[in-house]
């Protein structure tokens, strides 16, 4: 799955730029006129690009993708179609495999809206303040030009600064902190919802069709996935999840 060129260029891509784009797209969900399937395809494409930056970048993106998949159901009577369900199960399996490598998900849940509004921080806030002042747009441009790398003294863009700060933050982390991945969303809720969607599909599909027989084969995958989730929560002492 390739990311459309209009979404994000691959050349010179950094984790900070990718994260900003993911959060920008996530913030568009639910807006009038936005096609949820189009946004899902964009997030899925970005999830492929995130692999190169490691689990700390990939897993949060996958959590956004999974959330977008569950958002496709418009009413209580809708159920997740089989291709989407299998795709979602695949993403959850990927996360479960990462957790088996010793990673854990962040304890604190961050509000998605705060992420969208707060990712740019620093330089962007300065530009907003400058733009709303007497200098207007010219002051905003000047604010952007004033970004300087304190280590080299060279000018840097907002995206370059965001990536530098991300790298510096990770460099200062302990090994245990590096193994904790902050995410938006709940793994236990997604696993539970996946099981519910499977059960609902069996109730909606005619028992006399090949589709129903094929659907039954997904039960084995679901059982393995739920067992992996249970193992993770037991390791983390979260038996109530």
């Amino acid at each position: 799955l390739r990311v459309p060129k209009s979404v994000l260029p691959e050349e010179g891509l950094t984790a900070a730029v990718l994260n900003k784009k993911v959060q920008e797209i996530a913030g568009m969900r639910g807006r009038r006129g936005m096609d949820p399937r189009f946004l899902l395809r964009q997030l899925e494409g970005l999830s492929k690009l995130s692999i190169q930056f490691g689990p700390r970048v990939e897993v949060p993106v996958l959590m956004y993708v999974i959330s977008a998949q569950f958002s496709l159901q418009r009413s209580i009577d809708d159920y997740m179609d089989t291709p989407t369900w299998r795709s979602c199960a695949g993403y959850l399996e990927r996360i479960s495999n990462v957790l088996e490598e010793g990673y854990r998900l962040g304890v604190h849940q961050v509000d998605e809206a705060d992420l969208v509004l707060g990712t740019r921080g620093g330089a962007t806030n300065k530009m907003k303040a400058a733009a709303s002042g007497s200098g207007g747009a010219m002051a905003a441009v000047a604010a952007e030009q004033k970004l300087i790398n304190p280590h080299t003294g060279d000018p840097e863009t907002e995206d370059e600064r965001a990536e530098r700060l991300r790298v510096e933050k990770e460099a200062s982390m302990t090994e245990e902190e590096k193994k904790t991945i902050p995410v938006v969303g709940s793994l236990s809720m997604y696993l539970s919802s996946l099981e519910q969607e499977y059960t609902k599909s069996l109730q909606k599909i005619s028992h006399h069709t090949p589709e129903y027989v094929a659907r039954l084969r997904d039960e084995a995958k679901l059982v393995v996935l739920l067992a992996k989730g249970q193992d993770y929560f037991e390791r983390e002492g979260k038996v109530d999840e």
Side-chain angles (χ1 to χ4, degrees), residues 166-205:
R166 185 192 70 84
V167 172
E168 290 175 358
K169 181 179 179 180
E170 286 203 3
S172 67
M173 290 179 176
T174 64
E175 288 303 313
E176 183 177 356
E177 289 173 333
K178 290 179 182 178
K179 288 288 187 178
T180 301
I181 306 176
V183 297
V184 174
S186 167
L187 178 62
S188 62
M189 183 185 72
Y190 292 154
L191 289 171
S192 177
S193 295
L194 190 74
E195 181 180 17
Q196 292 172 9
E197 291 297 330
Y198 177 72
T199 301
K200 194 188 300 183
S201 71
L202 292 180
Q203 295 169 344
K204 297 290 184 179
I205 300 173

Side-chain angles (χ1 to χ4, degrees), residues 40-53:
L40 172 58
R41 288 195 298 271
Q42 290 184 313
L43 288 171
E44 287 184 306
L46 293 174
S47 74
K48 305 300 181 184
L49 292 178
S50 71
I51 296 173
Q52 63 186 295
F53 300 112

Side-chain angles (χ1 to χ4, degrees), residues 107-155:
V107 175
H108 298 291
Q109 307 265 328
V110 181
D111 184 78
E112 194 165 314
D114 290 340
L115 279 174
V116 174
L117 295 174
T119 61
R120 307 193 67 170
T124 298
N125 291 337
K126 291 180 182 178
M127 290 184 68
K128 287 181 179 179
S132 62
S134 58
M138 292 301 294
V141 173
E144 171 74 7
Q145 293 174 341
K146 289 178 182 178
L147 290 176
I148 302 295
N149 186 318
H151 305 299
T152 65
D154 297 327

